[in-house]
Amino acid sequence: DTAVSQTPKYLVTQMGNDKSIKCEQNLGHDTMYWYKQDSKKFLKIMFSYNNKELIINETVPNRFSPKSPDKAHLNLHINSLELGDSAVYFCASSHLNEQFFGPGTRLTVL
Amino acid sequence: AQKVTQAQTEISVVEKEDVTLDCVYETRDTTYYLFWYKQPPSGELVFLIRRNSFDEQNEISGRYSWNFQKSTSSFNFTITASQVVDSAVYFCALSEFGNTDKLIFGTGTRLQVFP
């Protein structure tokens, strides 16, 4: 049973398009995150949700909008994709400071 | 401000050598957690260890060991008798106590183990 799952695993799209990445966790955790890993492997938090409420937004452009329909899901919608959005996006969930990561979604913007 | 520094960008060793990956952190909190994650070429993030700031005991797990020293704000990771399968990028991370739990990652150290 996968603890944190993300779909799709790979996403290739054109500049200007809108795309979504879905994340689900079956661990019963209250807190979920999105992290971005750029081409230099640098990992940085983007958003954090606790019980469907946004608690961290790390100065991410407005084109990125997370949505949490329930505490087991945290989806990431990106509008007007730009070349610089190409990266691997990791979803995670946590409980008591222990974080579990999804397998990542590699987004390539052409 | 919180910060994690992994000064070694890349390390290459030959199999069976011991290797230490350095991690230095900065935080103003007295309660925090430190982590190491492994990212193999397949790309997933594999959790290795979590340490809280009140537990300075060194830890050993098989060929892996961790040395936590609050006096120097360091949390170094040693692999004994390295193997080719240890080749990966290793990340040190910090999280401060509280309800955010967000991880501040270092820039990673790429370890290449040659046969």
Side-chain angles (χ1 to χ4, degrees):
Chain A
D1 283 346
T2 306
V4 182
S5 60
Q6 294 178 228
T7 52
K9 190 165 171 59
Y10 299 96
L11 186 52
V12 181
T13 189
Q14 300 282 341
M15 252 174 41
N17 284 350
D18 303 338
K19 289 292 177 188
S20 291
I21 307 172
K22 294 187 176 180
C23 177
E24 177 181 1
Q25 54 98 359
N26 62 7
L27 298 164
H29 292 165
D30 287 338
T31 309
M32 295 184 73
Y33 310 80
W34 278 106
Y35 289 84
K36 179 180 178 181
Q37 185 172 41
D38 64 22
S39 58
K40 295 183 179 174
K41 294 283 193 183
F42 187 54
L43 269 160
K44 189 170 161 54
I45 188 158
M46 300 173 69
F47 298 104
S48 171
Y49 267 71
N50 184 275
N51 236 334
K52 302 195 296 174
E53 283 190 35
L54 179 67
I55 54 173
I56 294 175
N57 179 342
E58 292 280 321
T59 59
V60 176
N62 290 341
R63 299 182 295 103
F64 290 79
S65 52
K67 286 189 173 44
S68 182
D70 54 62
K71 74 176 198 178
H73 295 85
L74 180 62
N75 304 324
L76 183 64
H77 188 75
I78 316 170
N79 288 330
S80 304
L81 277 155
E82 300 177 358
L83 293 177
D85 298 331
S86 295
V88 180
Y89 292 85
F90 286 96
C91 177
S93 72
S94 78
H95 178 65
L96 299 177
N97 289 96
E98 189 164 352
Q99 291 210 11
F100 296 81
F101 283 86
T105 295
R106 181 175 293 277
L107 170 65
T108 304
V109 182
L110 303 173
Chain B
Q2 313 139 29
K3 189 177 175 184
V4 176
T5 301
Q6 294 180 255
Q8 303 150 309
T9 308
E10 192 160 336
I11 301 175
S12 295
V13 298
V14 177
E15 244 186 338
K16 296 185 184 164
E17 280 185 38
D18 299 348
V19 58
T20 295
L21 310 181
D22 297 334
C23 173
V24 173
Y25 62 92
E26 292 174 33
T27 177
R28 278 181 275 194
D29 274 16
T30 54
T31 305
Y32 50 89
Y33 292 86
L34 295 164
F35 302 78
W36 276 95
Y37 284 85
K38 173 182 179 180
Q39 188 173 41
S42 49
E44 72 272 24
L45 284 163
V46 179
F47 168 82
L48 295 178
I49 190 170
R50 178 185 69 174
R51 211 52 167 167
N52 76 53
S53 51
F54 297 113
D55 182 1
E56 281 194 79
Q57 276 196 334
N58 290 334
E59 174 137 351
I60 298 174
S61 174
R63 295 183 297 107
Y64 295 170
S65 61
W66 290 270
N67 183 349
F68 177 27
Q69 302 227 344
K70 278 177 90 166
S71 59
T72 54
S73 298
S74 66
F75 187 44
N76 296 338
F77 172 31
T78 297
I79 303 175
T80 304
S82 58
Q83 300 176 1
V84 173
V85 293
D86 296 326
S87 296
V89 180
Y90 290 87
F91 292 95
C92 181
L94 164 74
S95 119
E96 291 177 345
F97 182 77
N99 66 359
T100 63
D101 292 356
K102 72 174 184 180
L103 289 173
I104 308 296
F105 282 92
T107 48
T109 297
R110 180 181 297 278
L111 173 65
Q112 293 199 75
V113 182
F114 293 99

